[in-house]
Amino acid sequence: MEAERADGAGLPSDYGSLTEPVKRELRAVVGDNHFKDDMQTRVTHSYDGTPMLQALPDGVVYPGSTEEVAGVMRILSRHRIPLVSRGSGTNLCGGTVPVQGGIVMVMHRMNKIVEVDLENLTATVQPGLNTKQFIAHVESLGLFYPPDPSSMAVSTIGGNIAECSGGLRGLKYGTTKDYVLGLTAVLASGEVIRTGGKLMKDVAGYDLTKLLVGSEGTLAVITEATLKLIPPPKFKKTLLAMYKDIYGAARTVSKIIEHRIIPATLEFLDNPTIRVVDDFAKLGLPLDMEAILLIEQDGDPETVERDIAVIERVCRGENAERVEVAASEEEALKLLTARRSAFTALARLRPTTILEDATVPRSKIADMVLAINRIAEKHRVNICTFGHAGDGNLHPTATTDARDPEEVHRVEAAFEEIFEAAIALGGTITGEHGVGMVKAPFLEWKVGPAGIEMMRGIKRAFDPQGLLNPGKMFAKSARRRVVIDRG
Amino acid sequence: MEAERADGAGLPSDYGSLTEPVKRELRAVVGDNHFKDDMQTRVTHSYDGTPMLQALPDGVVYPGSTEEVAGVMRILSRHRIPLVSRGSGTNLCGGTVPVQGGIVMVMHRMNKIVEVDLENLTATVQPGLNTKQFIAHVESLGLFYPPDPSSMAVSTIGGNIAECSGGLRGLKYGTTKDYVLGLTAVLASGEVIRTGGKLMKDVAGYDLTKLLVGSEGTLAVITEATLKLIPPPKFKKTLLAMYKDIYGAARTVSKIIEHRIIPATLEFLDNPTIRVVDDFAKLGLPLDMEAILLIEQDGDPETVERDIAVIERVCRGENAERVEVAASEEEALKLLTARRSAFTALARLRPTTILEDATVPRSKIADMVLAINRIAEKHRVNICTFGHAGDGNLHPTATTDARDPEEVHRVEAAFEEIFEAAIALGGTITGEHGVGMVKAPFLEWKVGPAGIEMMRGIKRAFDPQGLLNPGKMFAKSARRRVVIDRG
């Protein structure tokens, strides 16, 4: 295998073509209506939520069952054609851009809640199911599925699993990984595996379930998932703490945890984010504050009241200018919804929005905010920072213009330094968005050459032909972001 | 590679010998005092907590640091000598029996708590640290590390991580996997990798942390772990529910969960277990009951009182004969300690005790207990059943005599049927004890041929020479237990 023909995972990348006979085979599996290769469909699936990345697939397939996915995969495996499986494509790491062409597999037809098991508190669902719809259904049964990525109104459970999505409730309740008990998945060969089950404990062999969660479609195509549900909290209370001193806000984060309180949500918004969110959601937030913490605690009423009282004291102790408890559930929901809209609100500022995902130990939040601001200033770029401060998971977000290469270059240089700063603080290059294409050049910074070599070995074991989501997670070498145009 | 020379993972098993020059190399790394090959030391490390399995290692090494582990591993890798790393060897799956000889690496010198980080609520520890000692230290700082395997008075954190140990608090708090945030590990090549960190979220590449937890020493040698700590519950209450109807007890388990209550502990003991535990711990338990549930709830006082009241009602609704709330924390602790002693107590009955680990969805507990009793009767073997009923994790335990091959054969036949029954009920062959040698022949029943092939691929990627704990997890073929004598 020549070096030029190897991809980042050390796998061959001399793929087969999607010829007419292959298309006929695919149509025979999924039905004529569920394979498309017209230009409009191909263009529609050439990009995802990530700015500045685009590559045309050769065809798009919409399977209706695990068996159809397996049938498609057997065909693609025989003809060495790459596959990118995707849900709504809300990811921000270029995770579903078909950089090697081939087939994009859209899971939207497989969108059923197969079962909610009230005795075992599990739900079995198909990957194309919309996250928010699933959460609402579960709540209507008096149960709770905590992972709540900001994209949940659009995203799918399958996408959440592929990326190991987090969300606002991650601090107390964990991320998608903590709720996936079992998976049905189609391997690159077309074989079907079933991992885990309705089991709270299972140590039969290596944990393929947790390995597949967050594997970004590079190891298998997930076609069904058994998820853990939990009893919902009985009561919630939401508090806004407003600071003129941004580092006081950051310090508050670890102080709260030091007081042995794990809030359900502990969000941070800096001044530029406050401004755009308020302009978008008309909340009447004070625009002269340097930072706001949005804190929610849930549980039994007595516990929540006690915790909120302590949190309030901690905020004031760290020089919060104002601390306000939401007067009603509606007001609290409005605040959380506004926070979820931060990305959308920021996106209105300038043509291109690049939202990053650096994560540090929560004790380093203040240092990280300081580093981000210093780096933004150095490179003369506009970066707003918000995020899940309780998890140490910040989303520094640059508003820029993809048509200005010089400015984009400065933005990329700034983010490179931000990743470096996160690593230096004991953090990681991505807390919940995934590696995809965007972070691939930086993965080695976090996991080291030996770590990346083990990951490549796993990839080769699952996908020896390199067909599943090629070009993701593993970079050939470069450290810089690229705009791809295969069209 | 000839089939005869391949082990269960499809790797070569023609190992090199521990010659005098190699011993000198090892002594140069760890110091003369920390390598031993006298017969007494070798015999002492030829078995673990599992009955009827024994194999002599060629030497025993006691490293003092990650660097020494790496140095040892580089030597063994060069000479193709297998390594079994171990803590106290309390596992029950033959996980640390050196079936291919070679080196046993005992981690007891690496037993330090490197750091407890009160801001991030993490602890960084060495693998040889005793579990109970660690828990006590953490509690003295007002924090909580939930995984509490019954062996914790003897076991080590490294062993817990290798096996992904559970315990009595698993139902509400999860198992070891849920508390490992980062690892330092030495690969088969001697290279060192660092995974995760003091990070609540990290999706940089495949989740090597969770992959290594429960990998039973077959992928790497863990030399340091960063663990998650949580705030401790403020209050606990313990309840005993006693049943003449064993299935009423089993039904109670899922009924409690259906009431949206997740107790901290929900243990089941059948009549034979009640008798031996009472005889051992002198608790005055009623010996005419068919089953006892030992239920603990923790949290804030108001919540606990409310939950315990509901649980009491549920127990009575399922025909509990008596329901008693422990009068004091001392009484509760005595009950939990007695439950933890079940294995020890049963071990006094007859010369050989085989404790198994079948796990089912919790709604199937009643069916599983029924199946175990039917199978025990069919094979005329004495099986007591107890376990973590809330997790669906039962420990059917046979008391037998290894010197009676005919009876041992019947016990093995019975367990084979029990595993089959667990799988048929949507369960698994092991919930918290691991695969090791004992379950290796049954692994395919749970994960299927394609699943096992993916696991073999992972093994080959990490350990291409097959040096790390060979003969574990992957069976060549047999389904039956074997008594090995390499001595």
Coordinates of all heavy atoms in Angstrom, one line a residue, chain A residues 443-460 473-474, chain B residues 185 187 189 191-196 204-208 211-212 461-462:
Chain A
L443 N -6.0 15.4 17.3 CA -6.3 14.3 18.2 C -5.0 13.8 18.9 O -5.1 13.5 20.1 CB -7.0 13.2 17.4 CG -7.3 11.9 18.2 CD1 -8.3 12.3 19.3 CD2 -7.9 10.8 17.3
E444 N -4.0 13.8 18.2 CA -2.7 13.3 18.8 C -2.3 14.1 19.9 O -1.6 13.6 20.9 CB -1.6 13.2 17.7 CG -0.5 12.3 18.1 CD 0.5 12.0 17.0 OE1 0.1 11.6 15.9 OE2 1.7 12.3 17.3
W445 N -2.6 15.4 19.9 CA -2.2 16.3 21.0 C -2.8 15.7 22.3 O -2.2 15.9 23.4 CB -2.7 17.7 20.8 CG -2.1 18.4 19.7 CD1 -1.3 17.9 18.8 CD2 -2.3 19.8 19.4 NE1 -0.9 18.9 17.9 CE2 -1.5 20.1 18.2 CE3 -3.1 20.9 19.9 CZ2 -1.5 21.3 17.6 CZ3 -3.0 22.1 19.3 CH2 -2.2 22.3 18.2
K446 N -4.0 15.2 22.2 CA -4.7 14.7 23.5 C -4.2 13.3 23.8 O -4.0 13.0 25.0 CB -6.2 14.8 23.3 CG -7.0 14.1 24.4 CD -6.9 14.8 25.7 CE -7.7 14.1 26.8 NZ -6.9 13.0 27.4
V447 N -4.2 12.4 22.8 CA -4.1 11.0 23.2 C -2.7 10.4 22.9 O -2.4 9.3 23.3 CB -5.1 10.1 22.4 CG1 -6.5 10.7 22.6 CG2 -4.9 10.0 20.9
G448 N -1.8 11.2 22.3 CA -0.4 10.8 22.1 C -0.3 9.8 21.0 O -1.3 9.2 20.5
P449 N 0.9 9.7 20.5 CA 1.1 8.8 19.3 C 0.7 7.3 19.6 O 0.1 6.6 18.8 CB 2.6 8.9 19.0 CG 3.2 9.8 20.0 CD 2.1 10.3 20.8
A450 N 1.0 6.8 20.8 CA 0.7 5.4 21.1 C -0.9 5.3 21.2 O -1.4 4.3 20.8 CB 1.3 5.0 22.4
G451 N -1.5 6.3 21.8 CA -3.0 6.2 21.9 C -3.6 6.2 20.6 O -4.6 5.4 20.3
I452 N -3.1 7.1 19.7 CA -3.7 7.1 18.3 C -3.5 5.8 17.6 O -4.3 5.3 16.8 CB -3.2 8.4 17.6 CG1 -4.4 9.1 16.9 CG2 -2.1 8.0 16.6 CD1 -4.1 10.5 16.4
E453 N -2.3 5.2 17.8 CA -2.0 4.0 17.2 C -3.0 2.9 17.6 O -3.5 2.1 16.8 CB -0.6 3.6 17.4 CG 0.0 2.7 16.3 CD -0.4 3.0 14.9 OE1 -0.3 4.2 14.5 OE2 -0.9 2.1 14.2
M454 N -3.3 2.8 18.9 CA -4.3 1.9 19.4 C -5.7 2.1 18.8 O -6.4 1.2 18.4 CB -4.4 1.9 20.9 CG -3.2 1.5 21.7 SD -2.7 -0.2 21.3 CE -1.2 0.2 20.3
M455 N -6.0 3.4 18.7 CA -7.3 3.7 18.0 C -7.3 3.3 16.6 O -8.3 2.8 16.1 CB -7.6 5.3 18.1 CG -7.8 5.7 19.6 SD -8.3 7.5 19.7 CE -8.2 7.7 21.5
R456 N -6.2 3.5 15.9 CA -6.1 3.1 14.5 C -6.3 1.6 14.4 O -6.9 1.1 13.5 CB -4.8 3.5 13.9 CG -4.7 5.0 13.5 CD -3.5 5.2 12.6 NE -3.5 6.6 12.1 CZ -2.6 7.5 12.4 NH1 -1.6 7.2 13.3 NH2 -2.7 8.7 12.0
G457 N -5.7 0.9 15.4 CA -5.8 -0.6 15.4 C -7.3 -1.0 15.6 O -7.8 -2.0 14.9
I458 N -8.0 -0.3 16.4 CA -9.5 -0.6 16.6 C -10.2 -0.4 15.3 O -11.0 -1.2 14.8 CB -10.0 0.2 17.7 CG1 -9.4 -0.2 19.1 CG2 -11.6 0.1 17.8 CD1 -9.7 0.8 20.2
K459 N -9.9 0.7 14.7 CA -10.5 1.1 13.4 C -10.3 0.0 12.4 O -11.2 -0.5 11.7 CB -10.0 2.4 12.9 CG -10.3 2.8 11.4 CD -11.8 3.1 11.2 CE -12.1 3.6 9.8 NZ -13.5 3.7 9.6
R460 N -9.0 -0.5 12.3 CA -8.7 -1.5 11.3 C -9.4 -2.8 11.6 O -9.8 -3.5 10.7 CB -7.2 -1.7 11.2 CG -6.5 -0.5 10.5 CD -5.0 -0.8 10.2 NE -4.2 -0.9 11.4 CZ -3.4 0.0 11.8 NH1 -3.3 1.2 11.2 NH2 -2.7 -0.1 12.9
M473 N -11.8 11.5 12.2 CA -11.1 11.1 13.4 C -9.5 11.0 13.2 O -8.8 11.6 14.0 CB -11.6 9.8 14.0 CG -11.2 9.7 15.5 SD -11.9 8.3 16.4 CE -13.6 8.7 16.5
F474 N -9.1 10.4 12.2 CA -7.7 10.2 12.0 C -7.2 11.1 10.8 O -7.7 11.0 9.7 CB -7.4 8.7 11.6 CG -7.9 7.8 12.7 CD1 -9.0 7.0 12.5 CD2 -7.2 7.7 13.9 CE1 -9.5 6.2 13.5 CE2 -7.7 6.8 14.9 CZ -8.9 6.1 14.7
Chain B
A185 N -1.7 3.6 31.4 CA -1.5 2.2 31.2 C -0.3 1.9 30.4 O 0.1 2.7 29.5 CB -2.8 1.7 30.5
L187 N 1.3 -0.4 27.6 CA 0.9 -1.3 26.5 C 1.8 -2.5 26.4 O 2.9 -2.6 27.1 CB 0.9 -0.6 25.2 CG 0.0 0.6 25.1 CD1 0.2 1.3 23.7 CD2 -1.5 0.2 25.2
S189 N 3.8 -3.3 24.2 CA 5.1 -2.9 23.7 C 6.0 -2.3 24.7 O 7.1 -2.0 24.5 CB 4.8 -1.9 22.6 OG 4.1 -0.8 23.1
E191 N 5.1 0.8 25.7 CA 4.8 2.2 25.6 C 3.7 2.5 26.7 O 2.9 1.7 27.1 CB 4.2 2.5 24.2 CG 5.2 2.6 23.1 CD 4.5 2.7 21.8 OE1 3.9 1.7 21.4 OE2 4.7 3.7 21.1
V192 N 3.7 3.8 27.1 CA 2.8 4.3 28.1 C 1.7 5.1 27.4 O 2.0 6.0 26.6 CB 3.5 5.1 29.1 CG1 2.5 5.7 30.2 CG2 4.6 4.3 29.8
I193 N 0.4 4.8 27.7 CA -0.6 5.7 27.2 C -1.4 6.4 28.4 O -1.4 5.8 29.5 CB -1.7 5.0 26.3 CG1 -2.4 3.9 27.0 CG2 -1.1 4.5 25.0 CD1 -3.6 3.3 26.3
R194 N -1.9 7.6 28.1 CA -2.7 8.3 29.1 C -4.1 8.6 28.5 O -4.1 9.1 27.4 CB -2.0 9.5 29.6 CG -0.8 9.2 30.5 CD -0.2 10.4 31.2 NE 0.8 9.9 32.1 CZ 2.0 9.5 31.7 NH1 2.4 9.6 30.4 NH2 2.9 9.0 32.5
T195 N -5.1 8.1 29.1 CA -6.4 8.3 28.6 C -7.2 9.2 29.5 O -7.0 9.3 30.7 CB -7.2 7.0 28.5 OG1 -7.6 6.5 29.8 CG2 -6.4 5.9 27.8
G196 N -8.2 9.9 28.9 CA -9.1 10.8 29.7 C -8.4 11.8 30.6 O -7.4 12.4 30.1
A204 N -12.5 12.8 22.6 CA -11.4 12.9 21.7 C -11.0 11.4 21.3 O -10.2 10.8 22.0 CB -10.2 13.6 22.3
G205 N -11.6 11.0 20.3 CA -11.3 9.6 19.8 C -12.1 8.5 20.5 O -13.0 8.8 21.3
Y206 N -11.8 7.3 20.2 CA -12.5 6.2 20.8 C -12.2 6.2 22.3 O -11.2 6.6 22.8 CB -12.0 4.8 20.2 CG -12.2 4.7 18.7 CD1 -11.2 4.1 17.9 CD2 -13.3 5.2 18.1 CE1 -11.3 4.1 16.6 CE2 -13.4 5.1 16.7 CZ -12.5 4.6 16.0 OH -12.6 4.5 14.6
D207 N -13.2 5.7 23.1 CA -13.1 5.8 24.5 C -12.2 4.7 25.1 O -12.7 3.6 25.5 CB -14.5 5.7 25.1 CG -14.6 6.1 26.6 OD1 -13.5 6.0 27.2 OD2 -15.6 6.5 27.1
L208 N -10.9 4.9 25.1 CA -10.0 3.9 25.5 C -10.1 3.7 27.0 O -9.9 2.6 27.5 CB -8.6 4.3 25.2 CG -8.2 4.4 23.7 CD1 -6.7 4.7 23.5 CD2 -8.6 3.2 22.9
L211 N -12.9 1.3 27.5 CA -12.5 0.0 26.9 C -11.5 -0.8 27.8 O -11.6 -2.0 28.0 CB -11.8 0.2 25.5 CG -11.3 -1.0 24.8 CD1 -12.5 -1.9 24.4 CD2 -10.5 -0.6 23.5
L212 N -10.6 0.0 28.5 CA -9.7 -0.7 29.4 C -10.3 -1.2 30.7 O -10.0 -2.2 31.2 CB -8.5 0.2 29.7 CG -7.5 0.5 28.5 CD1 -6.4 1.4 28.9 CD2 -7.0 -0.8 27.9
A461 N -5.0 -5.7 18.1 CA -4.5 -4.4 17.9 C -3.6 -4.0 19.1 O -2.6 -3.3 18.9 CB -5.6 -3.4 17.7
F462 N -4.1 -4.3 20.3 CA -3.4 -3.9 21.5 C -2.2 -4.8 21.8 O -1.2 -4.4 22.4 CB -4.3 -3.9 22.7 CG -5.1 -2.6 22.8 CD1 -6.2 -2.3 22.0 CD2 -4.7 -1.7 23.8 CE1 -6.9 -1.2 22.2 CE2 -5.4 -0.5 23.9 CZ -6.5 -0.2 23.1

